[in-house]
Amino acid sequence: MTKPTEEPTRPTGPLEALAEAPTEVLPDAPADAPAADPRPIPWVLMYHSVDHFDEDPHLVTVSPQRFEGQLAWLRARGLRGVSVRELLEAQDAGRARGLVGLTFDDGYADFATRAVPALVRFGFGATVFVVSGRIGSHNAWDDGPRKPLMSVEQLRKAAAAGMEIASHGRYHVSLPGTSGTELREELEESRAHLEDIAEAPVTGFAYPYGHATAREVEAVRAAGYDYACDIVPERPGRHALPRTYIGERDRRLRLRAKLARHELRRRSRV
């Protein structure tokens, strides 16, 4: 596990570094990098698990009470949480004002049992990025507490409640270390499996661990995904959307700081 750093440039798996700072830090782009997407980057929040907990070494869990407080803060600010698909469609149509993307990585069972009921009460939507090869199992990629993942039935109920089902690959592997064949399987087989379950198109992807080089970004685009979520991409764009980590420590003041950071970044790209 990597140790927390004061100013992280790129997380390597655990989220301690992002949790330490009130706002995420984006690296400077290389001088010879291609031009970034000129459109403003929408605000997208990154959650994982919503549950009661005694230990949470990887900082992936938000308690139900804190989660509802965060949703209430968004609503009080005149913001409505939506899926990334809805957010981008609204942005393309010029009507994204007041919308914020809510995402949940890994597809934990508590998304269905705790997050979805709260989201529905607030009239919010969200995207859940599912590890297709682990459905109904547990987070085998972590060395921390075992957390159950959604079953097929829970996935279908989440979709029926209006949540977007998207891909997080087959087995939650770091994609830059895969061969070309394995990369295609992670992208294409995971989507096909999830489309069979949800009985709807799967158009979004999230890079496991936030690991993505230009090769993976291009592979996701070539595989036909409409968008992909990263964490702190070197070159933000529709297939490398940055996200703001949200954890248990994020109350009103930290949320305000994170929103202010996003607004500064957004204005700098207009």
Side-chain angles (χ1 to χ4, degrees):
M1 182 188 306
T2 54
K3 301 254 329 155
T5 57
E6 195 167 321
E7 291 192 338
T9 58
R10 195 168 185 81
T12 58
L15 300 171
E16 294 96 324
L18 290 176
E20 286 297 312
T23 58
E24 71 281 13
V25 178
L26 291 179
D28 293 330
D32 59 350
D37 188 331
R39 291 174 296 184
I41 294 295
W43 199 30
V44 182
L45 308 186
M46 179 179 66
Y47 286 93
H48 287 73
S49 170
V50 178
D51 203 0
H52 300 291
F53 61 93
D54 294 320
E55 56 175 333
D56 186 33
H58 297 310
L59 304 181
V60 297
T61 312
V62 175
S63 65
Q65 181 178 7
R66 179 77 73 242
F67 180 60
E68 295 218 13
Q70 291 164 350
L71 298 185
W73 182 86
L74 290 173
R75 185 168 63 184
R77 300 284 301 188
L79 298 171
R80 180 169 67 90
V82 297
S83 68
V84 180
R85 179 171 58 203
E86 181 176 345
L87 178 63
L88 294 179
E89 288 175 352
Q91 184 181 59
D92 290 345
R95 49 179 177 79
R97 185 177 179 85
L99 300 183
V100 55
L102 301 183
T103 66
F104 294 77
D105 284 12
D106 304 336
Y108 293 108
D110 54 57
F111 177 75
T113 59
R114 297 193 183 279
V116 170
L119 291 165
V120 170
R121 284 197 300 274
F122 277 81
F124 287 3
T127 298
V128 59
F129 293 108
V130 178
V131 181
S132 68
R134 301 290 184 189
I135 293 171
S137 182
H138 60 269
N139 54 328
W141 57 88
D142 274 341
D143 58 4
R146 289 289 169 248
K147 298 173 74 72
L149 302 174
M150 280 191 288
S151 66
V152 168
E153 181 181 2
Q154 286 175 321
L155 270 169
R156 287 176 174 157
K157 286 184 177 179
M163 306 300 148
E164 179 189 10
I165 308 301
S167 174
H168 206 28
R170 294 183 306 166
Y171 297 117
H172 203 287
V173 299
S174 178
L175 297 181
T178 60
S179 67
T181 298
E182 186 181 0
L183 176 59
R184 286 192 299 274
E185 290 172 348
E186 285 287 328
L187 300 178
E188 296 173 4
E189 292 185 14
S190 63
R191 180 175 58 192
H193 189 189
L194 293 172
E195 287 180 340
D196 285 343
I197 292 172
E199 298 181 344
V202 168
T203 60
F205 186 83
Y207 302 101
Y209 307 107
H211 293 174
T213 68
R215 182 192 77 139
E216 289 75 53
V217 173
E218 179 54 35
V220 168
R221 184 185 293 110
Y225 286 96
D226 180 58
Y227 74 86
C229 285
D230 204 327
I231 302 178
V232 282
E234 293 181 359
R235 300 300 294 170
R238 194 178 185 100
H239 289 85
L241 292 169
R243 291 183 290 169
T244 299
Y245 164 83
I246 302 294
E248 180 70 9
R249 292 177 57 193
D250 289 313
R251 304 187 188 186
R252 183 175 66 252
L253 292 179
R254 287 175 62 88
L255 290 170
R256 185 183 301 167
K258 289 184 175 185
L259 175 57
R261 169 64 186 238
H262 169 75
E263 288 298 323
L264 269 174
R265 184 188 311 138
R266 184 187 66 80
R267 285 196 295 271
S268 73
R269 292 173 55 83
V270 173

